[in-house]
Amino acid sequence: MTTVTSTAASTPSPNPSPDRPRVAVLGLGTMGAAMARRLIGADLPVTVWNRSIGRAEPFRDTPARVADDPEDAVADADVVLTMLFDGAAVRAVMDLALPRMARGSVWMQSSTVGVAATDQFADAADAAGVTYVDAPVLGTKGPAEQGTLTALVAGPPATVERLAPVLDAMAAKTVRVGGAAPLASGLKLAMNAWIATLTAGIAQSLTLARTLGVEPGLVLEALAGSGPDSPYAQLKGTAMLGGDFDPQFELAGLLKDVRLVRQAVPQPNALLAALEQTYASAADRGAADLDIAAVIRAFDQ
């Protein structure tokens, strides 16, 4: 397995404008592309790169610069934002990019990679003279497009202040988790465990109602306005009832996150084990690339 190199950056220190830092976005999947467009809309100088060039092509019609490789993308960046699928993807890309980042620049790592990988990336950034900010986000496709994500941020306070133009473009709320990694990644895992629990829970209740001869829609009707109700349960429950699984948050991604939580928790956890089994079952039934609402397939008889 490749590891992120810790070779010191050889490029000169950046000279950022406090209000308009130069941002390189590495990874243009559903979330990365939406976040890049928010940065462009905020009139920040943006460079984008994606391993599959097809995802970068739409950005040629924007003010953003499309880089040929990650090394080129980060060469003059004040802030490098990584938004990739998992730790292995981040490691492979930053093994190339980190040596080209300028000393004093910021690596804003927003992918959900877990605690262990976050620690490794922070160490590599420090060895390269780059400031690491642990900055995963809460939200799916819609909030990313609307700039209403919640950013979970752990990093030096002065650096987080420098990131204000970037965070303000993408997020409606920033939660400061502490002064260093991996605290923000830890909070992200805790939050995604809740999302996994809530989504699987409403799927189970809808399925139980159907099994017991009750119209499943009555579950949401009974829940509405009650103490246990939540907008998310209504949103995902409605999607389940309508079979609307257009991916806002792909099930494969949440399954990956549940496994990261299990790896981070030293003691056995029965609920996490059940969640992993449930989402894995749905993935095996063809739901991996669908929205997490498709977890209801795990309850099919």
Side-chain angles (χ1 to χ4, degrees), residues 20 34 122 130-131 175 225 229 300:
R20 298 185 73 243
V130 169
T131 303
V175 178
D229 193 19
D300 291 342

Side-chain angles (χ1 to χ4, degrees), residues 58-99:
F59 286 88
R60 296 192 189 277
D61 295 328
T62 74
R65 182 174 74 89
V66 177
D68 293 329
D69 52 52
E71 301 97 315
D72 173 42
V74 307
D76 64 351
D78 305 311
V79 178
V80 172
L81 169 63
T82 45
M83 194 62 182
L84 298 151
F85 180 72
D86 58 13
V90 173
R91 185 174 291 110
V93 170
M94 293 307 291
D95 193 50
L96 300 172
L98 187 56

Side-chain angles (χ1 to χ4, degrees), residues 77-128:
D78 305 311
V79 178
V80 172
L81 169 63
T82 45
M83 194 62 182
L84 298 151
F85 180 72
D86 58 13
V90 173
R91 185 174 291 110
V93 170
M94 293 307 291
D95 193 50
L96 300 172
L98 187 56
R100 291 291 301 276
M101 288 179 63
R103 284 188 171 275
S105 60
V106 179
W107 177 5
M108 181 176 166
Q109 209 303 105
S110 295
S111 321
T112 304
V113 299
V115 171
T118 298
D119 273 333
Q120 294 166 9
F121 297 156
D123 288 344
D126 183 64

Side-chain angles (χ1 to χ4, degrees), residues 51-281:
R51 180 177 287 125
S52 302
I53 191 62
R55 288 188 176 271
E57 289 301 326
F59 286 88
R60 296 192 189 277
D61 295 328
T62 74
R65 182 174 74 89
V66 177
D68 293 329
D69 52 52
E71 301 97 315
D72 173 42
V74 307
D76 64 351
D78 305 311
V79 178
V80 172
L81 169 63
T82 45
M83 194 62 182
L84 298 151
F85 180 72
D86 58 13
V90 173
R91 185 174 291 110
V93 170
M94 293 307 291
D95 193 50
L96 300 172
L98 187 56
R100 291 291 301 276
M101 288 179 63
R103 284 188 171 275
S105 60
V106 179
W107 177 5
M108 181 176 166
Q109 209 303 105
S110 295
S111 321
T112 304
V113 299
V115 171
T118 298
D119 273 333
Q120 294 166 9
F121 297 156
D123 288 344
D126 183 64
V130 169
T131 303
Y132 187 87
V133 175
D134 183 18
V137 297
L138 297 178
T140 55
K141 180 181 178 182
E145 292 174 341
Q146 297 154 17
T148 57
L149 296 167
T150 295
L152 312 177
V153 181
T159 303
V160 175
E161 290 296 331
R162 284 171 53 196
L163 290 176
V166 178
L167 293 167
D168 290 347
M170 302 186 305
K173 178 180 179 180
T174 296
V175 178
R176 297 198 182 189
V177 190
L183 292 174
S185 284
L187 179 56
K188 176 63 184 290
L189 293 184
M191 295 305 301
N192 277 14
W194 166 240
I195 290 169
T197 303
L198 184 62
T199 308
I202 195 64
Q204 176 177 252
S205 290
L206 293 175
T207 303
L208 283 172
R210 182 179 290 111
T211 301
L212 296 171
V214 177
E215 167 55 42
L218 293 176
V219 171
L220 299 184
E221 183 177 336
L223 189 61
S226 68
D229 193 19
S230 77
Y232 202 80
Q234 293 288 340
L235 176 69
K236 294 305 178 185
T238 299
M240 292 171 191
L241 291 175
D244 179 10
F245 301 139
D246 181 50
Q248 306 297 308
F249 183 175
E250 289 187 359
L251 189 140
L254 187 55
L255 174 58
K256 177 261 297 180
D257 296 348
V258 170
R259 287 170 171 162
L260 286 174
V261 180
R262 292 199 70 192
Q263 292 167 14
V265 176
Q267 67 273 19
N269 184 298
L271 179 56
L272 290 175
L275 287 171
E276 180 179 357
Q277 181 180 2
T278 300
Y279 283 90
S281 175

